[in-house]
Amino acid sequence: MQDPVSINENMLTPEPLALEGAIMELDYLIINGAAKIRIIVKCKDGTSKEIFDSTFKPYFYLIPNKDTQISILNETELYDNGRKISSTKIEATKKELFGKTVDVYKIYVQLPSDVPKLAAAMSKYGRRFEYDIPFARRYALDKNIIPFNLYLFKILKENNRLELKEFEEMHVPLEPQLNILFFDIETYNPLGVPRPEKDPVIMISYSIKSRKKNESRVITSKKIELPFVDYVTDERAMFEHFVDIIKENDIDIITGYNSANFDIRYMLERAQALKINFNLARGSGDTRIERHGLVDKVKIGGRVHVDMYLVVKFISVVGAAENLLKLNSYTLKNVYEAIAGSEKVTVEKLDIFKLWDGNESELKLLAKYNLADSHALETVYNKFIPIMIELSRTTGNVLSDTAVSTTGQLVEYMLMRYALMFNEIVPNKPKDEEIRARMLNPIEGAYVKTPDPGVYEKLAIFDFRGLYPSIIIAHNIDPSSICEDCTDYHLSPINTKFSKTKKVVTPIILKQLIEQRSTVKKEYKKNPENIFLGSRSQALKIVSNSFFGYLGYPRSRWYSRECAGSVTAYGRQYIKDTIIKADNYGFKVIYSDTDSIVILLNDKSEEDALQFMKEFNKNLPEGMELELEDFYVRGLFVGKKTATGSAGAKKKYAMITKNNKIKIRGFELVRRDWSKIARDTQRRVLETILKEGSPQRAAQIVKDTIMLLKEGAVPLDQLTINTQLRKKIDDYDSKSPELGAAKKAVDMGLKKKSDMESAVISYVIGKSGNTISDKAVLLEFAKDYDVDYYVNHQVMPAVMRILKELNFEEDELKLSGTQKKL
């Protein structure tokens, strides 16, 4: 946390003030030895305010042992660097823990950092709970704060500080006028990967969207005759100017692309090398990198940071953007072009240092590229940030945390909020040994009917609308509803009893989410241009679909093998029943997985399929429904190798609708070790099969590609493979192509060893040498290529996972392209 801030305490003025606005961010400061919550509020008039709450105190819970007296807890103390840590107040109360009422002590301390320390000291007197919840998050939970909703704040003014008296949620969403800065940096990179201790930041582009100003600029230390370029004297001045821009425009949200791992991290490390203070904070606080679960988060005091790279990956994983599904590389260029439908100004990353050292026209190209990144980032932000804002509203997480969270973390936070409403103790995180035990005893998953590989026509996909959430609601599944001696219960297929009458958190949350989504979808249908209604519907769907996974996640606080196992058992029961009834109706179910089935219409019509769905739904529990996803003209299902031969693969298929909309699942169209010619050939083969239904035409594409390779007609840049060396050249035990290419260039005196270490190696497999590593040559020195390698180790592996299902054999394609059988 921040270092203690010295602020003079003065008498509060008696005049109450009222402010209306949305809560953007929460943190805390230590002022005169006490913790004060800082609330960043974006007011309705567009201004931003810092409001402090001095009344909230840190605490944790202890369920005491039978012989533990409150007196011993009052006497417990420890010393940390000479400072005494002890309780400031202890309250006896009752709470619920997994459905049982328990006596607990609520133990208050002076500072947030005292909580885990005193809790550890008291562990011998009972079981500790809620000692690992960060203080600002503790405040948000206890106050049930909903970001981006309108609040009325009543405050007292103390010189330059606003002290909170009370606040009230108005239960109205607020779309505040935010001041947003989009930025991107370019660094000098003679080795491919820049080194912050040596390589300078050479350009910083930014685009500002605020209530007072909209502008886009590039800051650099070379004079470039472009109207959007600001010249400063040196790198230090670039950093200072960038900070000034943020402060002058009172920026609320700073957003970059992979900025936690690169841009801001690099600037912090570079500032350290330059011995300058680089701080983007508003008011008190600092700029630093924190760990948040499995990812890094940028914490900027008084402002919100959003790394859009993490947001894009999240959106893609949860399937909330169809135009991202076809991407296997989430570069800013790829994402921008997928959503904008136009190309972005681009340069090769490895050429950036050359452009910087180049002539005026090359410098202009680099500046345009740098600014284009900020503009592309703005487009990506505008597309996806509404979903993140609605996820913040749905779960109660502030945006800076939502933007770095997994679905499990969002669910956990929501469960914490509702646990407090139900007077339940938040369970502790599992210890390592518990996690290992859970992982060694996995829950039986969904039922999967694998397909016979091949190409099919006239298909339909049906899936259950929120199968697992509806099962949880219908059968009241929650760790607190599990019972042994209850008389009114649901008995799951794995013989776990769930009380029908006990009100428990998980089904209640899910029912609210589903009902809210139903209402929002109706409103959105009436007003399809409202991006926030569409995003809210997506957010509600994302969260509701994530509860089951959290119940079965080994690291979950609310992990329950009985709950998760019962949900999947019910799911298997429902999907098998669907398959039987669809077959009886005259369809052929060729594939099913978890909550969906793929049927062949055979001689039946689309109207027949819709009638089957209608009749089937009549017998489902309330809230459960089978829906039509779409009808498809053609579909390709592939297989996988097994111990006894081969079989149909799950989650690996591609299908196309009458409107030429392609649905792809499970195909890795891009791999890091694939050349462009291999990627492009695979993509063309897949699209040809789906659109034209012609295996012969797809095979011809492969034959043509092989012919071009054999004729030496493929440009070397189509054959290039890019791999980064992660260690020093001499530290590798085994030889690889990238290492072989680098060592060859060093041994021949073409490159320095220091130029190659930690660099991105772009190489081609040439003709000369005994092994692949011997044949690897840096692209800039390559003169030829090994036809056999690119045919047998690039193109053929890329296409055979598709064409083998059409009974093409590799040798036949390479020699004559004939088809063995169909």
Side-chain angles (χ1 to χ4, degrees):
M1 202 59 217
Q2 294 93 342
D3 293 331
V5 178
S6 178
I7 298 178
N8 292 326
E9 299 286 351
N10 298 301
M11 293 291 292
L12 294 174
T13 58
E15 299 84 5
L17 300 173
L19 287 176
E20 287 188 335
I23 295 174
M24 293 287 298
E25 184 64 291
L26 292 164
D27 58 14
Y28 74 93
L29 302 175
I30 304 300
I31 300 174
N32 293 340
K36 292 181 182 285
I37 291 289
R38 175 170 61 173
I39 309 170
I40 306 299
V41 176
K42 192 67 178 180
C43 300
K44 287 180 71 174
D45 63 4
T47 61
S48 300
K49 303 292 183 186
E50 285 184 333
I51 301 176
F52 291 88
D53 189 344
S54 304
T55 63
F56 191 72
K57 304 302 178 185
Y59 68 86
F60 65 96
Y61 288 107
L62 183 83
I63 298 179
N65 298 330
K66 288 184 178 180
D67 57 348
T68 297
Q69 301 296 320
I70 194 170
S71 58
I72 193 68
L73 299 178
N74 277 316
E75 294 168 3
T76 302
E77 60 185 41
L78 67 151
Y79 287 84
D80 184 47
N81 292 323
R83 176 179 165 271
K84 186 174 78 170
I85 297 175
S86 61
S87 61
T88 58
K89 182 172 65 171
I90 299 179
E91 295 176 346
T93 186
K94 293 183 182 293
K95 303 281 284 186
E96 294 282 318
L97 180 62
F98 290 128
K100 296 181 179 179
T101 303
V102 291
D103 294 314
V104 300
Y105 290 119
K106 189 175 184 180
I107 301 169
Y108 292 88
V109 294
Q110 184 177 3
L111 297 178
S113 59
D114 295 343
V115 170
K117 296 170 184 174
L118 189 62
M122 290 185 174
S123 61
K124 56 188 173 184
Y125 301 123
R127 289 184 291 160
R128 308 158 293 152
F129 290 91
E130 302 190 19
Y131 57 88
D132 58 352
I133 299 175
F135 187 49
R137 176 167 286 201
R138 169 88 275 168
Y139 183 84
L141 290 167
D142 284 33
K143 302 295 184 180
N144 195 26
I145 285 172
I146 306 297
F148 295 102
N149 273 12
L150 181 63
Y151 279 80
L152 174 63
F153 299 88
K154 293 184 179 179
I155 56 178
L156 298 171
K157 192 171 183 180
E158 179 192 2
N159 293 337
N160 293 324
R161 193 168 74 248
L162 301 178
E163 287 281 349
L164 181 67
K165 185 178 180 183
E166 59 185 37
F167 66 110
E168 176 186 0
E169 186 191 352
M170 309 303 290
H171 301 285
V172 177
L174 178 65
E175 312 302 342
Q177 304 173 50
L178 301 174
N179 299 333
I180 309 166
L181 179 134
F182 313 90
F183 85 104
D184 179 71
I185 70 170
E186 306 301 339
T187 57
Y188 196 67
N189 63 335
L191 301 187
V193 177
R195 303 155 296 179
E197 70 277 7
K198 292 183 179 180
D199 298 323
V201 175
I202 54 178
M203 286 183 181
I204 306 174
S205 69
Y206 67 87
S207 181
I208 292 175
K209 297 298 177 188
S210 71
R211 63 193 183 98
K212 291 184 178 180
K213 180 190 295 184
N214 292 332
E215 72 170 13
S216 302
R217 312 289 297 170
V218 170
I219 312 168
T220 187
S221 58
K222 282 189 177 182
K223 291 183 178 179
I224 304 174
E225 296 300 323
L226 287 171
F228 57 81
V229 173
D230 291 336
Y231 164 73
V232 294
T233 55
D234 55 22
E235 186 183 8
R236 180 186 297 266
M238 287 173 57
F239 277 64
E240 292 171 351
H241 187 49
F242 183 62
V243 172
D244 289 342
I245 290 293
I246 289 171
K247 292 182 177 178
E248 289 168 6
N249 290 276
D250 194 26
I251 296 299
D252 300 303
I253 297 179
I254 298 174
T255 182
Y257 202 85
N258 199 28
S259 43
N261 279 329
F262 182 68
D263 300 77
I264 289 182
R265 182 186 298 275
Y266 196 92
M267 294 178 84
L268 287 169
E269 293 178 359
R270 186 65 188 150
Q272 188 175 10
L274 294 172
K275 295 182 170 54
I276 61 175
N277 179 36
F278 177 66
N279 188 9
L280 305 176
R282 174 162 54 189
S284 302
D286 59 4
T287 303
R288 63 184 184 276
I289 308 289
E290 297 179 341
R291 198 66 178 164
H292 187 278
L294 299 176
V295 300
D296 286 336
K297 171 189 174 182
V298 176
K299 174 66 178 175
I300 302 174
R303 306 188 202 276
V304 175
H305 172 263
V306 176
D307 187 335
M308 285 307 299
Y309 172 70
L310 296 177
V311 170
V312 165
K313 286 188 68 178
F314 175 90
I315 296 292
S316 179
V317 167
V318 300
E322 191 70 26
N323 46 18
L324 293 184
L325 294 178
K326 62 184 177 181
L327 298 182
N328 291 278
S329 174
Y330 300 108
T331 63
L332 179 57
K333 176 181 183 296
N334 287 350
V335 174
Y336 169 78
E337 292 179 356
I339 65 176
S342 59
E343 292 189 3
K344 185 182 82 67
V345 175
T346 186
V347 301
E348 289 294 330
K349 287 286 186 182
L350 299 179
D351 291 340
I352 288 175
F353 80 99
K354 297 176 185 176
L355 296 175
W356 179 252
D357 291 337
N359 56 35
E360 177 68 13
S361 64
E362 289 173 316
L363 283 170
K364 286 182 177 180
L365 174 60
L366 184 58
K368 290 175 182 177
Y369 165 71
N370 184 215
L371 189 62
D373 274 358
S374 287
H375 285 159
L377 172 62
E378 184 176 348
T379 299
V380 175
Y381 176 94
N382 290 336
K383 176 72 174 179
F384 297 124
I385 204 64
I387 295 179
M388 306 313 290
I389 288 175
E390 293 304 327
L391 281 170
S392 288
R393 280 201 181 106
T394 300
T395 63
N397 247 333
V398 293
L399 179 61
S400 60
D401 281 345
T402 300
V404 293
S405 292
T406 63
T407 54
Q409 289 166 335
L410 294 176
V411 167
E412 179 174 279
Y413 188 82
M414 202 167 187
L415 282 168
M416 286 181 171
R417 280 180 52 220
Y418 277 77
L420 295 180
M421 297 178 198
F422 279 67
N423 197 39
E424 293 186 5
I425 290 180
V426 173
N428 290 328
K429 291 180 180 178
K431 296 179 180 177
D432 290 343
E433 55 268 27
E434 291 178 85
I435 295 171
R436 285 193 291 269
R438 293 171 180 179
M439 294 177 71
L440 289 172
N441 191 21
I443 295 158
E444 184 179 354
Y447 172 73
V448 177
K449 174 182 172 63
T450 56
D452 291 328
V455 177
Y456 298 86
E457 297 189 352
K458 286 186 65 179
L459 310 101
I461 296 182
F462 291 106
D463 56 23
F464 282 95
R465 184 183 65 187
L467 177 62
Y468 286 173
S470 60
I471 287 172
I472 291 171
I473 295 169
H475 302 284
N476 205 37
I477 295 175
D478 183 272
S480 295
S481 64
I482 296 173
C483 57
E484 294 180 1
D485 54 359
C486 50
T487 56
D488 192 12
Y489 57 84
H490 300 282
L491 182 64
S492 80
I494 61 171
N495 294 318
T496 300
K497 295 179 181 179
F498 296 96
S499 169
K500 286 186 177 181
T501 57
K502 187 174 179 61
K503 291 186 177 181
V504 287
V505 171
T506 306
I508 288 176
I509 297 177
L510 282 172
K511 189 173 183 181
Q512 289 180 2
L513 292 173
I514 291 171
E515 288 175 350
Q516 287 173 23
R517 185 164 187 249
S518 177
T519 300
V520 169
K521 285 176 72 176
K522 290 176 184 176
E523 294 175 4
Y524 185 50
K525 193 172 183 179
K526 297 175 185 175
N527 187 10
E529 301 302 316
N530 189 320
I531 189 171
F532 280 97
L533 282 176
S535 297
R536 182 152 185 79
S537 176
Q538 287 274 30
L540 291 164
K541 179 181 178 180
I542 289 167
V543 177
S544 61
N545 285 345
S546 302
F547 270 80
F548 158 73
Y550 185 73
L551 286 172
Y553 179 49
R555 298 180 183 276
S556 165
R557 292 177 186 263
W558 273 272
Y559 173 88
S560 171
R561 181 176 176 78
E562 295 87 352
C563 289
S566 294
V567 172
T568 58
Y570 274 121
R572 293 191 297 274
Q573 178 177 291
Y574 284 117
I575 203 71
K576 288 178 182 179
D577 185 50
T578 310
I579 293 171
I580 292 170
K581 290 181 178 177
D583 285 338
N584 291 340
Y585 208 87
F587 301 109
K588 179 175 176 57
V589 178
I590 61 170
Y591 176 61
S592 73
D593 185 7
T594 309
D595 61 353
S596 63
I597 62 170
V598 180
I599 67 170
L600 291 180
L601 297 182
N602 294 326
D603 57 350
K604 289 186 174 293
S605 66
E606 293 180 359
E607 289 72 22
D608 292 331
L610 294 173
Q611 183 62 31
F612 159 72
M613 179 183 70
K614 183 178 179 180
E615 293 179 15
F616 180 82
N617 283 332
K618 291 178 181 177
N619 297 316
L620 290 176
E622 182 181 356
M624 196 173 292
E625 183 179 357
L626 188 69
E627 297 179 315
L628 172 73
E629 181 193 279
D630 212 335
F631 292 106
Y632 293 88
V633 175
R634 190 173 294 110
L636 168 68
F637 291 82
V638 302
K640 66 176 181 178
K641 292 181 180 179
T642 67
T644 57
S646 63
K650 64 179 182 179
K651 299 184 188 298
K652 289 185 180 179
Y653 59 89
M655 305 176 77
I656 188 168
T657 68
K658 287 183 287 190
N659 298 324
N660 281 330
K661 182 180 178 182
I662 294 177
K663 176 186 178 81
I664 298 176
R665 292 292 182 269
F667 284 99
E668 295 180 7
L669 296 180
V670 176
R671 276 190 354 205
R672 290 180 182 274
D673 57 347
W674 281 16
S675 58
K676 189 174 187 299
I677 193 170
R679 299 195 304 268
D680 288 350
T681 306
Q682 186 193 58
R683 175 183 53 77
R684 291 171 60 205
V685 164
L686 185 60
E687 289 181 353
T688 298
I689 291 171
L690 291 176
K691 291 181 178 179
E692 301 178 22
S694 174
Q696 291 80 9
R697 173 68 186 128
Q700 188 62 47
I701 289 171
V702 179
K703 290 197 307 180
D704 292 345
T705 301
I706 292 173
M707 184 175 295
L708 287 172
L709 282 166
K710 289 181 176 180
E711 291 174 350
V714 179
L716 293 177
D717 62 358
Q718 298 284 304
L719 305 171
T720 304
I721 301 168
N722 299 306
T723 308
Q724 183 179 353
L725 289 180
R726 300 289 181 181
K727 300 185 290 187
K728 292 183 178 180
I729 287 177
D730 295 333
D731 289 346
Y732 283 90
D733 295 326
S734 58
K735 201 171 182 180
S736 61
E738 62 271 17
L739 182 63
K743 290 189 73 172
K744 186 182 296 183
V746 171
D747 293 342
M748 295 175 65
L750 300 172
K751 290 285 186 179
K752 295 179 182 178
K753 185 181 290 187
S754 59
D755 291 341
M756 294 287 93
E757 292 176 342
S758 299
V760 175
I761 307 300
S762 299
Y763 64 91
V764 174
I765 304 301
K767 293 181 179 180
S768 301
N770 296 320
T771 66
I772 299 300
S773 296
D774 292 338
K775 293 180 178 183
V777 182
L778 293 183
L779 172 62
E780 57 192 293
F781 306 122
K783 293 181 172 49
D784 54 36
Y785 61 85
D786 184 336
V787 173
D788 179 72
Y789 172 81
Y790 285 99
V791 170
N792 294 314
H793 299 283
Q794 289 284 312
V795 173
M796 295 309 297
V799 300
M800 284 309 297
R801 64 182 305 180
I802 300 169
L803 292 177
K804 68 180 180 181
E805 308 310 339
L806 305 177
N807 293 305
F808 284 98
E809 293 188 359
E810 189 169 331
D811 289 342
E812 293 172 325
L813 283 170
K814 287 189 290 187
L815 294 175
S816 63
T818 56
Q819 190 175 16
K820 186 176 180 182
K821 61 181 178 178
L822 270 178

